[in-house]
Amino acid sequence: MDLEQLKYPIGQFVMPDIFDQKQIDAWISDIEALPGQIKKATENLTDEELDQTYRPGGWTLRQVVHHVPDSHINAYIRFKQAITEDVPVIRPYFEERWAETEEARSGDIKLSIELLTGLHQRWVAFLKTLKIEDYQRKYIHPAQNKELTLANMLGMYAWHGKHHLAHLTNTINK
């Protein structure tokens, strides 16, 4: 497998041409299912297996598991800001630095799976209250220097979960 395939096992995110309620429901379903999928994929892994990388120079499986709730906590907050504020400027974070903190490098993944489970339950409950026009609300990502719609971000985070789940499952099933 080449490095690009290892980095992006399901390909890179592409926003579909049609964004409708069917697409919203599918992405919310993806977000809702992710914690259980990660739990199932990792439930029998040893510390040695968790400490292997999914690609040369990449994070360990443990870091990937801890990264997902770190990222999705930020996503949840950004969604709430975009709904409650007028085109807010969000605060970026250094995900690569977060992944290098000691608890992310060596901590128990059960804590992050439990966090992800509760977070996704709350996020999905929130997402299900939104109307289709709410997904046109925007926030500004200063690191990317652009406005992003919640429609795009919903798809991106649904993809993000599948992306990292594939890192886990592809490495485990080698």
Side-chain angles (χ1 to χ4, degrees):
M1 221 183 258
D2 70 11
L3 188 58
E4 190 69 12
Q5 180 66 32
L6 290 172
K7 280 183 177 180
Y8 298 101
I10 64 167
Q12 295 199 38
F13 175 69
V14 176
M15 183 68 180
D17 292 334
I18 297 173
F19 180 78
D20 57 12
Q21 192 62 50
K22 184 177 176 184
Q23 183 64 73
I24 291 168
D25 294 342
W27 282 338
I28 291 174
S29 180
D30 291 341
I31 289 169
E32 189 169 29
L34 182 65
Q37 293 168 328
I38 289 179
K39 181 178 181 178
K40 185 176 182 198
T42 60
E43 64 189 349
N44 295 316
L45 296 183
T46 65
D47 281 336
E48 183 177 273
E49 290 168 322
L50 285 168
D51 291 334
Q52 66 183 316
T53 60
Y54 68 89
R55 68 172 169 87
W59 290 337
T60 65
L61 300 187
R62 182 184 312 273
Q63 287 171 299
V64 170
V65 172
H66 291 308
H67 162 73
V68 175
D70 287 347
S71 173
H72 291 197
I73 284 171
N74 280 283
Y76 172 71
I77 291 167
R78 292 167 182 179
F79 269 72
K80 293 283 274 204
Q81 287 175 313
I83 292 298
T84 62
E85 301 172 31
D86 189 25
V87 194
V89 176
I90 58 97
R91 187 180 185 295
Y93 76 107
F94 295 101
E95 66 182 38
E96 62 285 347
R97 293 181 192 173
W98 286 38
E100 290 300 324
T101 61
E102 188 58 37
E103 113 286 351
R105 292 183 331 109
S106 63
D108 185 350
I109 64 166
K110 288 178 184 159
L111 297 172
S112 281
I113 292 170
E114 289 171 4
L115 174 59
L116 187 68
T117 300
L119 172 65
H120 276 223
Q121 288 170 346
R122 178 74 188 271
W123 193 12
V124 165
F126 171 68
L127 292 171
K128 287 181 176 181
T129 69
L130 302 182
K131 299 175 187 70
I132 194 164
E133 58 269 18
D134 292 330
Y135 288 95
Q136 296 314 308
R137 293 188 63 91
K138 299 174 183 177
Y139 63 76
I140 298 169
H141 196 302
Q144 296 176 13
N145 198 30
K146 62 181 174 180
E147 290 184 357
L148 302 166
T149 66
L150 290 185
N152 190 271
M153 297 294 40
L154 180 64
M156 181 70 170
Y157 283 103
W159 168 88
H160 183 258
K162 289 180 175 182
H163 165 74
H164 285 305
L165 180 63
H167 286 147
L168 298 169
T169 59
N170 290 353
T171 304
I172 294 163
N173 295 326
K174 277 186 192 175

